[in-house]
Amino acid sequence: VPAEGVPAEGVPVDGVPENDSNGELIFGFLQYYYFTKDKDFLRRHFSTLLKAADFINKMRNERRTPEFRDGPPAKRLAYGLVPESISHEGYSDKPAYSYWDDFYSLKGLKDITEICEILGEASLAAKYRADVAEFRKDLYASIYLSMKHHGLNHIPGAADRGDFVIGRDQEERRERHRLPREQETNPVARDAHHGDPRREHAEEHPR
């Protein structure tokens, strides 16, 4: 990801964070490998992928502090999440703790684990596998707390907004068996969860 203000193909970078991008980058490289089986391609870009994964960890660690761990519910629901962003442009009015960003970040850590395994980097794979477990624990705790805090029976789009989201990302579907079951009792939330035709093949490579 270019630094703020660095031109990319002649277009200035606006510096507005979209914290789903790092996980999406790693996801895209692994998808390419699934189709090509080109290990040399992964190896050539391995250092960049590690930087993206480490940046995900850096972001979530910014919210793994006593301020968020021990604060009031409005703080605690952000514990361990990646910071606020405009996400899928759905929060361009005001950056939010979008679960879209978190699920793509979780996907990025899961995929860098697999990439490390493909490339025979066992110690790195073990490290990122532990990161996945830690992030998953923090993410689910946030979801439960956000639902309780906002009085919801569906998973909100953003932890701090308690809103309703129309679309979900593929990683949330893969993680669905670990997510709160309350959403299944809400027909509107259930229909939104199942009704997106873009998700038809989301389980092709479940983790």
Side-chain angles (χ1 to χ4, degrees):
V1 179
E4 181 177 347
V6 176
E9 298 181 359
V11 179
V13 177
D14 62 13
V16 177
E18 297 186 43
N19 291 335
D20 53 353
S21 59
N22 302 281
E24 289 169 352
L25 175 72
I26 301 168
F27 166 79
F29 273 81
L30 184 56
Q31 291 296 307
Y32 180 85
Y33 171 79
Y34 285 152
F35 282 98
T36 66
K37 303 302 179 183
D38 187 348
K39 284 189 181 181
D40 290 338
F41 176 81
L42 287 183
R43 179 60 72 180
R44 286 198 306 274
H45 297 282
F46 190 47
S47 63
T48 297
L49 298 174
L50 291 178
K51 288 177 183 177
D54 290 344
F55 190 69
I56 291 172
N57 282 331
K58 177 180 180 295
M59 287 193 296
R60 66 188 188 85
N61 283 331
E62 291 175 3
R63 298 296 183 268
R64 299 192 92 250
T65 64
E67 175 187 359
F68 291 91
R69 183 191 64 207
D70 304 327
K75 281 282 189 179
R76 284 188 284 119
L77 56 78
Y79 180 77
L81 303 185
V82 299
E84 311 96 309
S85 87
I86 69 169
S87 189
H88 42 66
E89 290 80 45
Y91 300 115
S92 55
D93 61 327
K94 180 184 178 184
Y97 286 104
S98 172
Y99 286 130
W100 175 282
D101 291 352
D102 293 296
F103 277 106
Y104 262 116
S105 295
L106 179 63
K107 176 63 174 165
L109 292 179
K110 290 164 76 173
D111 282 2
I112 195 63
T113 302
E114 182 168 352
I115 289 170
C116 289
E117 292 170 345
I118 291 168
L119 296 178
E121 301 283 352
S123 60
L124 282 173
K127 171 197 177 300
Y128 288 117
R129 194 175 299 112
D131 293 336
V132 168
E134 181 181 75
F135 190 17
R136 182 183 278 142
K137 179 181 177 181
D138 291 344
L139 175 55
Y140 299 154
S142 171
I143 290 171
Y144 278 101
L145 182 57
S146 180
M147 291 174 67
K148 180 179 179 180
H149 180 66
H150 296 291
L152 305 176
N153 68 346
H154 66 270
I155 298 172
D160 52 329
R161 292 204 180 188
D163 55 351
F164 183 78
V165 64
I166 299 300
R168 296 284 187 187
D169 64 35
Q170 294 180 2
E171 188 56 20
E172 183 177 318
R173 186 179 182 189
R174 291 189 182 93
E175 292 282 318
R176 185 177 169 201
H177 61 289
R178 298 186 175 96
L179 294 172
R181 304 304 298 173
E182 287 87 339
Q183 65 172 344
E184 296 301 318
T185 67
N186 181 337
V188 177
R190 185 179 64 240
D191 290 345
H193 195 88
H194 292 296
D196 187 345
R198 296 171 296 179
R199 290 136 80 49
E200 289 298 314
H201 303 290
E203 299 283 4
E204 185 176 355
H205 300 291
R207 307 279 193 278

